[in-house]
Amino acid sequence: MKKVLKVAAISSTLLLSVANADFLRAEVGAGAWFSKSSGNIKADSSGLFGIDSSKEKTKTNMYAWALFKHFVPVVPNLKVEYSKVESIGLANGNFSGYSGGGNESKLTMKQLDIIPYYNILDNTFWTTIDLGVDIKIIDAQYSVSNKPASNVTKTIPLPMGYARARVEVPFSGIGIEADAKYIKYSDNLAYDAKAKIDYTFDITPLIKPAIEIGYRVQKVEVDRLADLKTDLDFKGIYAGLMLRF
């Protein structure tokens, strides 16, 4: 009898984990990403050989995100993310309309990610898997000091594939999560990947605060910044606060 009761208890726990899928949920989060840049920006015109090499400085920038999950099966869930990265470099050689002689440059990329996604697994045995698409919109601004002709402002849309996996450690409040976005076409390549661990404080049943810490890597290799081709990497630790509803 004891064995039967033990098996029944284990089975009930597993079934509850399946039935405990979140049918209506919202989450928001914000924090700081300590990202270090590397790589270069090159002149992308015939006969020009200018190169702007990153000084590989670490910059601290804010990020924020929100997601909404619902129970309507056909309509995708939605996640929205905002982040910003910066690269400080030194421009040398001939570019379109100007020449660099070690002039300091600055590239700022503000990024908005709009991600409709579907749950493949929804907290099934404490595991969640999401698949979707990411419409990444990059608002890029580039300039070289004392070179007015270098100023570029460009909006770059990038459609990307999206995947996310999450595992909850049962009865602990700890979650382990990773997500990735990726696209490659022609000579262009972009990806954005994160891995994190978070802890949720079970204080109230309606609003649960949480903390997160993780590592993020991003690559932007595109030829869509006017007459320039970027080949830049950004990577570093991030940490922030969350609210689960």
Side-chain angles (χ1 to χ4, degrees):
M1 178 62 70
K2 288 183 179 180
K3 290 183 178 180
V4 173
L5 291 175
K6 187 176 180 180
V7 171
I10 294 172
S11 300
S12 298
T13 301
L14 293 175
L15 288 172
L16 283 172
S17 74
V18 176
N20 194 36
D22 300 310
F23 292 104
L24 190 64
R25 189 181 78 240
E27 297 181 11
V28 295
W33 180 21
F34 308 95
S35 60
K36 183 178 180 179
S37 63
S38 61
N40 57 64
I41 301 171
K42 294 181 179 179
D44 195 30
S45 298
S46 177
L48 298 178
F49 302 98
I51 184 168
D52 180 347
S53 300
S54 174
K55 295 170 72 174
E56 301 193 3
K57 288 188 174 182
T58 298
K59 292 288 185 178
T60 303
N61 286 298
M62 177 194 144
Y63 70 87
W65 59 269
L67 69 80
F68 176 71
K69 181 185 174 300
H70 57 79
F71 55 85
V72 183
V74 178
V75 180
N77 304 297
L78 182 65
K79 186 174 186 180
V80 179
E81 300 178 351
Y82 169 83
S83 62
K84 184 175 81 168
V85 291
E86 295 177 282
S87 176
I88 306 299
L90 294 175
N92 289 281
N94 296 322
F95 295 82
S96 180
Y98 64 97
S99 297
N103 303 65
E104 186 171 271
S105 68
K106 181 178 181 180
L107 172 67
T108 301
M109 292 191 293
K110 298 177 181 178
Q111 304 176 49
L112 178 66
D113 294 83
I114 303 170
I115 308 167
Y117 69 92
Y118 290 99
N119 289 126
I120 306 304
L121 293 179
D122 186 10
N123 203 21
T124 306
F125 301 125
W126 303 283
T127 301
T128 297
I129 295 177
D130 300 332
L131 293 177
V133 296
D134 174 24
I135 304 167
K136 182 184 283 287
I137 302 171
I138 300 176
D139 181 12
Q141 294 181 315
Y142 176 77
S143 63
V144 178
S145 63
N146 301 317
K147 302 291 180 180
S150 68
N151 294 349
V152 176
T153 299
K154 186 84 171 179
T155 299
I156 305 171
L158 287 176
M160 309 175 78
Y162 171 78
R164 169 180 174 260
R166 178 177 177 84
V167 175
E168 304 275 356
V169 180
F171 317 116
S172 69
I174 296 173
I176 301 170
E177 182 176 318
D179 68 62
K181 309 153 192 171
Y182 180 89
I183 186 172
K184 179 175 174 56
Y185 63 97
S186 185
D187 294 327
N188 298 272
L189 170 66
Y191 58 76
D192 188 353
K194 304 189 294 289
K196 72 167 184 174
I197 184 170
D198 57 54
Y199 179 79
T200 301
F201 299 90
D202 194 3
I203 299 173
T204 67
L206 296 179
I207 302 176
K208 297 181 179 181
I211 56 175
E212 63 178 0
I213 184 169
Y215 194 81
R216 182 174 182 178
V217 296
Q218 186 176 103
K219 185 176 188 65
V220 182
E221 184 180 349
V222 297
D223 55 6
R224 300 174 64 181
L225 189 62
D227 295 319
L228 301 170
K229 181 177 178 65
T230 66
D231 186 1
L232 292 169
D233 295 274
F234 303 89
K235 59 184 68 175
I237 294 172
Y238 68 92
L241 302 175
M242 305 160 52
L243 289 175
R244 300 180 186 274
F245 301 91

